[in-house]
Amino acid sequence: MGYPDQRFDVNLSILFTELPLLERPAAAAAAGFTAVELWWPWIETPTPIRAELDALKKALDDAGTQLVGLNFYAGQLPGPDRGALSVPGSESDRFRENIELAADFAASVGCTALNALYGNRVEGVDPQVQDALALENLVLAARAADRVGAILLIETLNKPESPLYPLVSAPAAIEVVDKVNAATGLGNAKFLLDLYHLSMNGEDLSQVIKAYAAKTGHVQIADNPGRGAPGTGSLPLERLLDELKDAGYAGWVGLEYKPGDRPSAEAFDWLPASARAAG
């Protein structure tokens, strides 16, 4: 039990960001990790040129790192946006342009989890209109993910940091997961359970784990307060991950925390080097 009993991956969109994107997989490998995840790396475009996709694949391959999670295009993230798929107009169009390309890239590197951030509420737009658009786009994304043998992830964020994002509780995200699965019949929509976001929302984390572990496709962690490394806040992350394992979750745990004032390579002292490489 405990941290050595988990399968960790490093989120290269929040850790090692002091380095250019193509240098981050090697940096993660040098720190002892063999698995990584990414937000959509090209925030300006849903359809980067083939050379950029190939360069990222080569960087992952050369480092010996497995990409285990990838976001679909999500707008300006980091930045003011929290996804594009429920935002009418050009952002929804950009999300749709990205769906097959992101799925194909995931397939090319053996990534089997694609995260679709829902998007913020838009002033002057009926929330029901946004939700209907979201379901249309999530159905398209689920089908594309299924085509390449991947799952589709739906994530809860936290209201203090994302006040316009509508999925700010575990039940809210689970409701969307269930609607997507009902619409497609595929069953490949899953919950992205982020213990930091849920704790920021004041949810009973042990109860969420008991209720939704079976519908969880990916887990992310950071401590609270501060969104730092485990041990920098007050969350009992080691115990909570044990509870997830006891509830039947055997998937990846993404390290999605801020390194603080130190280089990212020094932000893993809470985890023994022997527990970093995913078996």
Side-chain angles (χ1 to χ4, degrees), residues 144-161:
D146 181 70
R147 175 177 64 80
V148 298
I151 59 173
L152 174 72
L153 297 170
I154 309 295
E155 184 173 7
T156 290
L157 300 183
N158 75 76
K159 194 170 184 64
E161 294 174 329

Side-chain angles (χ1 to χ4, degrees), residues 2 5 17 19 38 61 67 79 97 128 159 173 176 197 208 221-222 249 265:
D5 206 28
T17 57
L19 299 172
L38 280 166
D61 290 345
L67 187 69
E97 291 171 11
Q128 291 184 328
K159 194 170 184 64
V176 175
H197 288 310
V208 168
I221 64 169
Y249 180 74

Side-chain angles (χ1 to χ4, degrees), residues 112-157:
T112 57
L114 288 156
N115 184 28
L117 282 171
Y118 201 83
N120 288 329
R121 290 301 193 210
V122 179
E123 186 176 355
V125 178
D126 185 339
Q128 291 184 328
V129 171
Q130 285 198 254
D131 291 341
L133 176 63
L135 184 57
E136 286 180 26
N137 283 335
L138 287 167
V139 165
L140 294 174
R143 288 174 177 155
D146 181 70
R147 175 177 64 80
V148 298
I151 59 173
L152 174 72
L153 297 170
I154 309 295
E155 184 173 7
T156 290
L157 300 183

